């Protein structure tokens, strides 16, 4: 079992920036592929970004490419999502997720989930 805890959400104005963190409680963090997923009010969860175990391969949803950056620090068991040029449509609960094996853009392939952190972007 892997415990994931997100932090860093909050209220930000459009055009602003926020950095989310996801802390894992497991020493084998470096063996896990990680991802960020978001769920806007009244909508299904959507893939945002993913990163492989070493951090040198990343993947992004088209809606965030060029604005968001996913990264990880295996020495501190932490993953990040730097969110720039935020838009009101980025408002959502953001979840971090982890899986054994290769990086994935498919939500059903993730084994472990955090509780989520709210990001609200005002216009």
């Amino acid at each position: 079992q892997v415990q994931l805890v997100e932090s860093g959400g909050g209220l930000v104005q459009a055009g602003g920036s926020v950095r989310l963190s996801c802390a894992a409680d497991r020493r084998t963090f470096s063996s896990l592929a990680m991802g960020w997923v978001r769920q806007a009010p009244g909508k299904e969860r959507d893939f945002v970004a993913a990163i492989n175990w070493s951090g040198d391969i990343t993947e992004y949803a088209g809606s965030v490419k060029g604005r968001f950056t996913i990264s990880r620090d295996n020495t501190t068991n932490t993953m990040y999502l730097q969110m720039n040029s935020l838009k009101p449509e980025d408002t959502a609960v953001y979840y971090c997720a982890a899986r054994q094996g290769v990086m994935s853009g498919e939500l059903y392939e993730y084994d472990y989930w955090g509780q989520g952190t709210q990001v609200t972007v005002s216009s």
Side-chain angles (χ1 to χ4, degrees):
Q1 188 69 19
V2 178
Q3 300 285 343
L4 302 172
V5 179
E6 302 95 338
S7 62
L11 176 64
V12 61
Q13 288 188 333
S17 298
V18 167
R19 188 175 81 157
L20 304 183
S21 300
C22 173
D25 70 339
R26 193 164 146 174
R27 293 182 182 178
T28 54
F29 174 80
S30 61
S31 68
L32 300 172
M34 304 290 295
W36 288 97
V37 173
R38 68 185 180 186
Q39 186 168 20
K43 297 187 177 181
E44 296 183 348
R45 291 189 183 186
D46 286 329
F47 169 76
V48 174
I51 190 166
N52 73 331
W53 67 273
S54 63
D56 60 348
I57 301 174
T58 58
E59 181 182 349
Y60 296 92
S63 59
V64 307
K65 193 174 294 185
R67 300 188 298 122
F68 292 9
T69 302
I70 188 171
S71 62
R72 65 190 296 162
D73 183 346
N74 288 345
T75 65
T76 60
N77 294 353
T78 307
M79 176 180 65
Y80 302 98
L81 185 67
Q82 178 67 44
M83 307 163 62
N84 298 329
S85 301
L86 283 161
K87 305 174 182 180
E89 51 263 43
D90 294 316
T91 295
V93 176
Y94 284 74
Y95 299 90
C96 69
R99 69 183 303 267
Q100 300 286 353
V102 300
M103 182 181 73
S104 175
E106 299 293 342
L107 274 60
Y108 70 87
E109 293 189 330
Y110 284 91
D111 303 306
Y112 310 105
W113 293 82
Q115 293 300 306
T117 185
Q118 175 72 46
V119 174
T120 302
V121 184
S122 63
S123 58

